Amino acid sequence: MDSKTTVIDELIKKENYAIELWEPRGLNPSAPEVITALEVVTNSFLKKLRQIQIDSDLNKSQQLEKVQRLVDSLPWNDFDTEEKEFLADTIAPAIASLGFDPWSII
């Protein structure tokens, strides 16, 4: 397994929105159903991102286009500002592991 896949796989295994991760961000945890929704959305995104990463038929430009569409398809409007920022911060390392600047995509 290469390092690109490792970043994505580690994020998939991790509880990215665990209660103890909210306080360092200066936030009170969102409702449990919102935290569950964030986890589901994030894991779905990461699994699709991993597929883009391992698809050897895609060149870098095609990968970027697919990643951009994937980010755009996230249900951003389902979350408040802090939750959106938490989501963006969580997926950014996975996008960066593919060699893209996440902040130009998110």
Side-chain angles (χ1 to χ4, degrees):
M1 183 181 310
D2 64 36
S3 63
K4 293 177 184 176
T5 303
T6 302
V7 170
I8 295 169
D9 289 337
E10 287 303 313
L11 286 168
I12 289 171
K13 292 179 204 170
K14 181 180 172 192
E15 286 187 49
N16 294 294
Y17 305 98
I19 299 297
E20 62 272 9
L21 299 176
W22 292 76
E23 189 176 325
R25 297 180 67 84
L27 302 173
N28 290 321
S30 291
E33 59 272 10
V34 175
I35 292 173
T36 298
L38 283 165
E39 287 287 2
V40 168
V41 165
T42 300
N43 284 336
S44 176
F45 173 86
L46 292 169
K47 289 173 183 174
K48 291 173 185 172
L49 189 66
R50 182 174 50 197
Q51 287 306 118
I52 293 169
Q53 190 268 326
I54 62 175
D55 187 345
S56 60
D57 292 335
L58 297 176
N59 63 36
K60 206 67 169 168
S61 175
Q62 291 168 319
Q63 279 186 332
L64 177 59
E65 183 179 323
K66 285 187 172 277
V67 171
Q68 184 66 66
R69 280 199 309 251
L70 191 56
V71 169
D72 290 346
S73 73
L74 288 168
W76 296 105
N77 292 331
D78 291 356
F79 304 110
D80 69 24
T81 301
E82 289 83 8
E83 294 158 352
K84 289 176 190 177
E85 289 173 1
F86 204 164
L87 173 59
D89 289 345
T90 300
I91 65 173
I95 295 169
S97 76
L98 271 68
F100 301 116
D101 173 14
W103 306 115
S104 68
I105 297 172
I106 296 175

